[in-house]
Amino acid sequence: METPKRRLWLTGLLLLLLMAAGPLLADERLSTPGLILQGVGFEIEVGADADHRLTLDGRSLPLVEGEAGQWLAEATLGEEAGILELFDAQGQLLERQTLSAIPAWLSLVPALTAIGIALIFRQVIVALFLGILLGGWIYHGMSAAALFTAFNETVSVHLLEAASDSEHMAVVLFCLLIGGMVGIISRNGGTQGIAMRITRYIRNRRQAQTTTGLLGLAIFFDDYANALIVGNTMRNICDKLRISRAKLAYIVDCTAAPVSAVMLVTTWIGFQVGLIQQAMSEIDGWSESAYSVFIKSLPYNFYPFLAVAFVFLLVWSRRDFGPMLGAERRALTGQASRSPVTPREAVVEEAEIETKPGIALRALNAVIPMLVLVAFTIGGIITTGAESLGPGDHSIWDTFGEGDAFSAMMWGSLAACITAVVMTLGQRLMSMSETTHYWFEGVKSMLLPLTILMMAWALANVNDALGTSDFLIAALGEALSPQWLPAAIFTLAAFTAFATGSSWGVMGIMMPLTIPLAWAILDLHGLAGTAEGMPLLYASVAGVLAGAVWGDHCSPLAESTLLAAMASGCDLIEHVRTQLPYALLVGVVALLFGSVAVGHGLSWWLGLAIGLGVLALALRLLGKRAEDGVVEASPALAK
């Protein structure tokens, strides 16, 4: 009696084990995505032989061999659940799975929520966090339990994955180190020394405005430091020569973010390269480095270049129009700006690091660390690129493209920090403890942008899990013409930046979506990777950056706008009111003769030249000299 019972018990146990192992075996044979969107194609990985047959609701799915030797199939689901079945060569059923899909538009909800909350409440970090949370909730089934899981995974999965990536951390270290360098050279008198050198030979209004613009170009490494240093340095000189503070604020604003956005080594570059790298990581068939993509997108950043050029057109022609003309005429008659900056407007995220009282102001204390930063970074990229390519003659673009930009940026920023510390201690400008303190003050100034960057990386991971780019490709791939892609991206980025007041937030939200979408649209039209299509891709990348800067310039909510007004001693609304016509003119010209024209085949250099000519013509037709309407203007002031 014992033996049959024991056999029965063993048989039952074996059946239970087989039943439990069934799903595992099925998962090994048929691997499907964790989330499927209605109407959007998805990939199935099949653990089978070439003579096996795969069907979905009775329809055969062709099996294609993948690069790793596995068998793959493409499928699409509608609103109804689908039955996926795998048969062997004799027609015997091996595995069966029931698949269901969610409405495809749900994949857009996290990104749209992030944009919407940023638009309404102007809180980019909160917007990104809620976007991540909502994306996790959708991914896990939109139940009460799914909300709890999504909340836990926001930090334990998505942010942790973003932080654990080695290339992401290279960007973080670069930003922290360069922020620390800025803190040291601001305190040891280096940046003020640059300002004093440049302003030594000013004699008239034109020279003062030209010097302000050149000083903005010289302090290129950070837009916030640029605005604070240039505005405070030039304010008294401009008051003495009766240049309106609104004009000073405009020049400061237009040589801050636009310059930092396109120079090769700034606090912006690590942020942008990190976003580009994240967006490129999911694209098959494109092995170019993120830094190379950034470099090749620079010629298509029409708004930053035209904005800087328009500043010097205004200065050299001595012409203005709109509210700026009135502000200049009031200044010439001795009237100040409408009102001083209020204490509430002076509350900004970035605190100015003042120069230490009683020390010598030496420009070399800032120039040498900045030169070390540039030399080590560019040299590191070239060295690693040459090592990667091996012996032979290679173009500079190929060398840059193969270079390890992330390592080079860390080398450059570390070398610059060490140089700044050694120079400060060697001249006994500060003690070691004081130097360390202001290095940390500079590091603290980077915490806000780095927080945005980390959360943007996390949201990009969530969007990838939800298949957001796949849905956009399916929905817009055939409807949106590649030729209009740069213009559409530029306009959308500008509108979002205008409403949110955060160019970095806009880049963080849009860049991970823009690059996969642009590549897929080009691929659908047979242009991906071609000489005809790649300029459109680079122009699309540039459209996110240039549009964010344009919208930032027009927005009274932007921190850079507020900083420029505050440092120049100008009323915020006065600054926005006088700058807006200029920003709109340059933005429209950049859109028409840059994004639209290049999208339809015009060379970037020709579009830039035509845009510059149009701006000069518009200034000639619209502009007037402020001195012509002021009888009291002295000959010195009229120059």
Side-chain angles (χ1 to χ4, degrees):
M1 298 295 295
E2 293 281 332
T3 301
K5 287 183 179 181
R6 184 177 300 170
R7 290 176 179 174
L8 183 61
W9 181 82
L10 290 174
T11 303
L13 179 60
L14 181 60
L15 288 174
L16 288 174
L17 290 174
L18 289 173
M19 291 173 64
L24 297 176
L25 294 173
D27 286 344
E28 291 179 359
R29 291 178 180 271
L30 296 176
S31 178
T32 58
L35 186 74
I36 301 173
L37 304 178
Q38 295 175 4
V40 178
F42 61 95
E43 190 174 75
I44 305 168
E45 185 172 340
V46 183
D49 296 328
D51 56 354
H52 287 192
R53 187 167 63 92
L54 183 68
T55 66
L56 178 63
D57 293 333
R59 301 185 307 273
S60 293
L61 301 177
L63 296 178
V64 179
E65 189 172 5
E67 295 180 359
Q70 78 278 33
W71 293 99
L72 305 173
E74 294 285 339
T76 305
L77 278 182
E79 296 182 5
E80 301 295 330
I83 304 299
L84 186 67
E85 296 177 317
L86 178 66
F87 299 91
D88 62 14
Q90 288 74 37
Q92 183 178 356
L93 177 65
L94 299 177
E95 303 293 344
R96 173 183 292 159
Q97 290 188 21
T98 301
L99 304 179
S100 60
I102 66 170
W105 60 266
L106 285 174
S107 66
L108 276 178
V109 170
L112 293 178
T113 299
I115 294 173
I117 292 174
L119 287 172
I120 297 170
F121 299 104
R122 302 189 295 275
Q123 295 291 332
V124 176
I125 293 178
V126 174
L128 289 168
F129 173 79
L130 291 178
I132 297 168
L133 180 63
L134 186 57
W137 180 62
I138 293 172
Y139 183 85
H140 289 290
M142 296 180 286
S143 63
L147 183 61
F148 179 76
T149 303
F151 181 81
N152 290 336
E153 290 187 353
T154 298
V155 175
S156 62
V157 176
H158 304 303
L159 283 173
L160 185 60
E161 286 181 355
S164 60
D165 186 279
S166 61
E167 293 180 345
H168 289 177
M169 290 312 299
V171 173
V172 170
L173 288 174
F174 169 74
C175 292
L176 291 176
L177 288 169
I178 199 173
M181 182 205 73
V182 171
I184 294 174
I185 65 176
S186 296
R187 184 63 178 174
N188 70 10
T191 50
Q192 284 293 340
I194 293 177
M196 295 296 292
R197 284 291 186 95
I198 292 178
T199 59
R200 184 174 296 174
Y201 303 104
I202 296 174
R203 296 290 181 272
N204 55 49
R205 286 167 49 84
R206 178 186 282 178
Q207 288 179 354
Q209 293 177 67
T210 302
T211 302
T212 304
L214 293 176
L215 186 57
L217 296 179
I219 305 175
F220 62 86
F221 48 83
D222 181 73
D223 58 324
Y224 288 170
N226 182 312
L228 290 168
I229 293 167
V230 177
N232 284 297
T233 300
M234 297 301 300
R235 185 168 58 207
N236 292 333
I237 298 172
C238 290
D239 286 347
K240 180 180 178 181
L241 295 172
R242 295 187 184 181
I243 298 169
S244 69
R245 291 188 174 182
K247 187 66 169 292
L248 172 62
Y250 169 71
I251 298 174
V252 168
D253 210 352
C254 283
T255 54
V259 173
S260 296
V262 297
M263 296 297 282
L264 294 180
V265 184
T266 71
T267 53
W268 285 58
I269 304 310
F271 182 82
Q272 295 173 72
V273 171
L275 292 174
I276 293 170
Q277 175 65 33
Q278 174 71 32
M280 292 175 59
S281 62
E282 301 300 325
I283 299 177
D284 295 327
W286 189 19
S287 58
E288 191 173 1
S289 73
Y291 195 86
S292 174
V293 172
F294 166 75
I295 293 294
K296 292 180 180 179
S297 72
L298 283 180
Y300 304 99
N301 276 280
F302 294 100
Y303 180 80
F305 288 120
L306 290 177
V308 173
F310 191 63
V311 165
F312 290 100
L313 283 176
L314 288 168
V315 172
W316 293 334
S317 68
R318 305 205 308 270
R319 292 175 178 270
D320 288 288
F321 62 87
M324 188 69 78
L325 180 62
E328 283 289 271
R329 285 177 172 170
R330 287 194 302 272
L332 283 171
T333 58
Q335 301 177 40
S337 297
R338 291 170 55 193
S339 62
V341 179
T342 65
R344 184 165 181 258
E345 289 170 349
V347 177
V348 291
E349 295 290 346
E350 301 297 323
E352 180 183 7
I353 298 177
E354 297 182 354
T355 301
K356 183 178 179 179
I359 63 173
L361 303 179
R362 300 187 179 99
L364 288 178
N365 288 333
V367 171
I368 292 177
M370 286 191 288
L371 290 177
V372 169
L373 170 66
V374 174
F376 268 74
T377 302
I378 295 178
I381 294 173
I382 293 175
T383 301
T384 55
E387 290 178 355
S388 177
L389 290 172
D393 295 329
H394 306 287
S395 69
I396 187 65
W397 293 117
D398 291 338
T399 305
F400 260 89
E402 293 298 323
D404 186 353
F406 297 101
S407 295
M409 288 190 296
M410 286 192 294
W411 299 336
S413 56
L414 178 60
C417 278
I418 294 173
T419 303
V421 170
V422 170
M423 293 185 69
T424 301
L425 297 177
Q427 300 171 73
R428 298 186 178 180
L429 299 173
M430 294 188 290
S431 65
M432 188 64 194
S433 60
E434 189 178 3
T435 302
T436 304
H437 171 77
Y438 283 98
W439 183 86
F440 274 109
E441 288 296 311
V443 168
K444 283 163 58 179
S445 71
M446 297 305 300
L447 293 181
L448 176 62
L450 286 176
T451 301
I452 294 174
L453 180 59
M454 294 295 295
M455 300 194 73
W457 281 330
L459 182 58
N461 290 337
V462 171
N463 287 335
D464 181 60
L466 292 176
T468 304
S469 58
D470 294 335
F471 169 59
L472 288 174
I473 292 165
L476 301 177
E478 297 180 358
L480 186 60
S481 168
Q483 286 72 28
W484 288 99
L485 190 60
I489 292 171
F490 176 70
T491 306
L492 180 59
F495 170 75
T496 309
F498 171 78
T500 62
S502 174
S503 54
W504 283 45
V506 170
M507 289 187 288
I509 293 172
M510 286 194 60
M511 191 69 80
L513 298 177
T514 295
I515 293 180
L517 175 63
W519 178 269
I521 290 175
L522 293 174
D523 192 37
L524 287 174
H525 291 81
L527 298 175
T530 66
E532 182 183 356
M534 292 310 288
L536 296 176
L537 182 61
Y538 298 135
S540 299
V541 173
V544 177
L545 170 62
V549 174
W550 181 29
D552 209 50
H553 267 179
C554 297
S555 175
L557 309 174
E559 289 175 0
S560 59
T561 303
L562 176 56
L563 275 171
M566 181 191 72
S568 304
C570 179
D571 172 52
L572 174 62
I573 302 304
E574 174 81 351
H575 172 42
V576 174
R577 192 177 70 90
T578 52
Q579 176 169 274
L580 190 57
Y582 290 172
L584 288 175
L585 173 62
V586 176
V588 170
V589 170
L591 174 64
L592 295 178
F593 300 98
S595 300
V596 173
V598 166
H600 287 79
L602 190 70
S603 298
W604 66 266
W605 60 268
L606 187 57
L608 196 61
I610 294 174
L612 190 59
V614 170
L615 288 177
L617 179 62
L619 185 57
R620 179 71 180 177
L621 296 176
L622 299 174
K624 296 179 181 179
R625 294 186 177 183
E627 298 88 347
D628 295 342
V630 180
V631 178
E632 298 86 354
S634 68
L637 293 178
K639 292 180 181 179

